[in-house]
Amino acid sequence: MLFAEVARVSREVARTSARSRKTRLLADFFAAARPQDAPVAIAYLSGRLPQGRIGVGWAALRERADPAPEPSLTVLGVDAALTELAAVSGQGAQAGRRALVQDLFAAATAPEQEYLLGLLTGEVRQGALQAAAVEGLAAAAGAEPAAVRRSVMLAGALEPVAEALLARGPAALEDFRLAVGRPLLPMLATSAGSVREALAKLGPCAVEEKLDGIRVQVHRDGDGIWVFTRTLDDVTERLPEVVAAARSLPADRFVLDGEVLALGEAGRPRPFQETAGRVGSTVDVAAAARAVPVRPVFFDVLSAGERDLLDLPCAERHAVLAELVPEPHRVRRLTLPAPEAPGAAEKAEEFFTETLRRGHEGVVVKGLEGIYAAGRRGASWIKVKPVHTLDLVVLAAEWGHGRRTGKLSNLHLGARAEDGSFVMLGKTFKGLTDALLEWQTGQLLARATEDDGHVVTVRPELVVEVAYDGVQASSRYPAGLTLRFARVLRYRPDKPPGQADTVAAVRAAHEGGG
């Protein structure tokens, strides 16, 4: 398959907001695709490189070869070129990467160059592509969308399902079952602004603590124990405490869902960054475990013995969990069989307040009848977290790619220092609508002081309200802090830069666990 086809479909999918149109485009694409092309093409359509980060910076992309007149690159050819790029290391690596990039871009047409640029810089974003891709794949192969969706959940990714389905048809879906030792995509929660709003959407429910740790899926089959992250990475060797906890349970075959977190004094969670650093540490695991011990806390069971529990109601799964996992390793919860009863909402709100006091990030309200919708944001799980916001100043912005070509997208955000200057805390391109992109591009260009072709530096005059999930230490930014999951809420033309939030306020939030 020509790479130009992937670029074309990506552009057309990005240009339409209609789900039915996206699905039709992807169905036609899959119908024309070879099975072996599908995994790589899906990664590109999702804005990912199968190789992960390949060490190509903006310096290697700034000057590009003239585009080719006609398409000739294939999907697998581009994949091979990027694999070669990722392997470059040692002395002269920068020059070697630049030469390979130039060779690749010289073989690409202008639209393909633009698409490659977006892939290499992480600017290809297609929104809810997976749902439309599942439906398009089902249509192309003559399969039931629900069956394809379930296979993707159990396989942990769309790519292997697409390759098998295009090669062998609907019968291939029988290959994808819940298997102990093979991770599946975790169920995710939707959001609500308050506990009462969440209760109003569900019938009988349970309110559980939402822990600010690393999501883990723990599998055991006899002496075999595996620990996987939310992204399905195998971290078994890094977490001996989790392996020991799994080995201590009174069963030898199960799949558990939960969180792993580091706890400090009085059982309060340590900063998320410490937990993440511990889970990510691969050097001297024993020393890391002594310095930052972690413990697993489980909230669901997906398989027990020979039983697949995914389709059981939440209440029944929890009963199995309670038999299998002792209370110290189970998430705290409040069950509300009748949330509409007098006093029920007040109990739920008290539980929420107590959870925050204990240092956790919020609650998840779960419908007692809900099944485990692996890999999706199920309607029966609703998370509620307090909203943290800051008013920050825009210091610069980066030129966008793909559908954001010609627009200033990634914002550099700063807080006010004691001397009146502004200190950068991080970047975000999240929360920007097309209309807001158009507006901010004009406003920022009117305030531009420098443009190096990638970053436009501006006078610090525009204040933007940003929501964020927390503050963490960072050596990348001058204040030593950065925001977790920052996203734009709105611009504040009513506020002058002198009224933006201060670095001291952000540091206080960090020290207070915000």
Side-chain angles (χ1 to χ4, degrees):
M1 168 176 276
L2 287 176
F3 180 69
E5 269 300 288
V6 183
R8 179 190 65 80
V9 170
S10 178
R11 287 194 306 273
E12 293 191 22
V13 167
R15 287 171 181 164
T16 181
S17 59
R19 171 77 168 271
S20 59
R21 172 65 176 157
K22 290 180 189 286
T23 300
R24 185 69 260 162
L25 285 166
L26 291 166
D28 292 343
F29 176 78
F30 285 125
R34 300 182 307 169
Q36 62 266 40
D37 289 324
V40 177
I42 288 169
Y44 292 165
L45 288 171
S46 302
R48 294 182 288 104
L49 298 179
Q51 298 82 3
R53 294 184 178 180
I54 60 176
V56 176
W58 183 253
L61 299 170
R62 186 175 300 163
E63 295 182 7
R64 299 185 290 278
D66 292 336
E70 298 292 336
S72 63
L73 289 172
T74 64
V75 170
L76 296 184
V78 171
D79 184 54
L82 295 179
T83 297
E84 184 180 0
L85 256 173
V88 175
S89 62
Q91 187 173 6
Q94 187 172 358
R97 290 194 194 100
R98 186 177 291 111
L100 290 173
V101 166
Q102 290 302 315
D103 289 344
L104 180 59
F105 273 78
T109 62
E112 289 173 308
Q113 284 193 356
E114 186 64 34
Y115 190 58
L116 277 170
L117 188 63
L119 286 172
L120 291 168
T121 57
E123 282 282 339
V124 175
R125 292 182 291 275
Q126 300 286 19
L129 178 78
Q130 174 113 341
V134 165
E135 292 178 8
L137 178 62
E144 287 294 327
V148 177
R149 191 176 299 114
R150 185 178 181 87
S151 295
V152 171
M153 297 168 192
L154 297 175
L158 176 60
E159 288 88 334
V161 176
E163 185 169 12
L165 191 55
L166 293 178
R168 296 189 284 118
L173 299 181
E174 293 297 322
D175 295 349
F176 301 99
R177 303 174 183 273
L178 192 156
V180 178
R182 184 177 71 191
L184 62 154
L185 292 174
M187 181 172 176
L188 305 175
T190 57
S191 298
S194 69
V195 171
R196 288 179 183 266
E197 179 185 338
L199 295 180
K201 295 180 178 180
L202 300 171
C205 61
V207 185
E208 296 182 351
E209 287 186 331
K210 188 177 191 310
L211 308 178
D212 193 16
I214 297 292
R215 185 85 172 262
V216 290
Q217 200 176 103
V218 178
H219 294 231
R220 180 178 180 182
D221 187 3
D223 291 334
I225 295 174
W226 302 267
V227 184
F228 302 101
T229 65
R230 171 174 169 165
T231 53
L232 312 188
D233 296 318
D234 187 337
V235 293
T236 308
E237 298 301 321
R238 306 178 200 173
L239 298 173
E241 307 100 314
V242 179
V243 172
R247 202 176 299 284
S248 71
L249 298 180
D252 62 3
R253 184 177 172 82
F254 52 75
V255 177
L256 298 174
D257 192 2
E259 298 260 343
V260 64
L261 67 165
L263 299 175
E265 296 179 4
R268 290 182 64 83
R270 293 167 72 163
F272 171 82
Q273 195 173 16
E274 293 187 28
T275 298
R278 166 61 206 287
V279 174
S281 177
T282 59
V283 178
D284 198 349
V285 170
R290 289 192 297 270
V292 185
V294 296
R295 59 174 294 191
V297 180
F298 300 108
F299 49 73
D300 218 322
V301 55
L302 315 184
S303 175
E306 299 298 326
R307 299 174 63 202
D308 174 343
L309 308 180
L310 294 175
D311 293 328
L312 285 185
C314 175
E316 293 185 33
R317 297 198 311 278
H318 189 268
V320 176
L321 180 72
E323 290 181 2
L324 177 61
V325 178
E327 188 173 354
H329 284 294
R330 294 201 313 269
V331 73
R332 291 178 70 247
R333 73 187 331 235
L334 169 70
T335 302
L336 297 174
E340 72 284 354
E346 287 75 14
K347 288 181 180 179
E349 290 179 329
E350 288 172 9
F351 185 90
F352 176 67
T353 300
E354 174 65 11
T355 295
L356 297 180
R357 189 193 66 76
R358 285 165 50 84
H360 301 301
E361 66 172 356
V363 297
V364 181
V365 185
K366 298 180 177 179
L368 295 181
E369 296 301 316
I371 67 169
Y372 191 94
R376 290 189 289 143
R377 294 197 180 276
S380 64
W381 285 17
I382 304 175
K383 60 185 176 183
V384 182
K385 299 192 294 184
V387 177
H388 305 293
T389 65
L390 289 169
D391 290 331
L392 301 175
V393 173
V394 180
L395 306 179
E398 298 172 12
W399 286 109
H401 301 285
R403 66 179 297 179
R404 295 188 174 190
T405 297
K407 304 292 191 301
L408 287 172
S409 175
N410 206 13
L411 300 177
H412 296 202
L413 304 169
R416 187 161 46 91
E418 289 184 6
D419 62 2
S421 64
F422 295 96
V423 179
M424 188 174 173
L425 293 176
K427 307 177 185 180
T428 188
F429 53 74
K430 298 183 182 298
L432 296 169
T433 64
D434 289 346
L436 194 54
L437 277 168
E438 189 75 37
W439 180 87
Q440 83 176 15
T441 298
Q443 293 292 320
L444 293 174
L445 287 177
R447 295 167 170 80
T449 59
E450 184 180 351
D451 182 353
D452 66 4
H454 177 46
V455 176
V456 175
T457 304
V458 301
R459 297 192 302 275
E461 297 175 353
L462 290 180
V463 176
V464 64
E465 184 178 0
V466 175
Y468 65 100
D469 284 7
V471 181
Q472 65 185 42
S474 173
S475 59
R476 293 182 59 190
Y477 297 106
L481 302 168
T482 191
L483 306 180
R484 290 179 57 206
F485 304 115
R487 60 254 182 219
V488 172
L489 294 179
R490 57 175 175 155
Y491 276 87
R492 295 296 305 268
D494 57 316
K495 276 199 169 186
Q499 292 181 10
D501 283 301
T502 64
V503 175
V506 178
R507 182 166 286 112
H510 172 60
E511 293 170 353

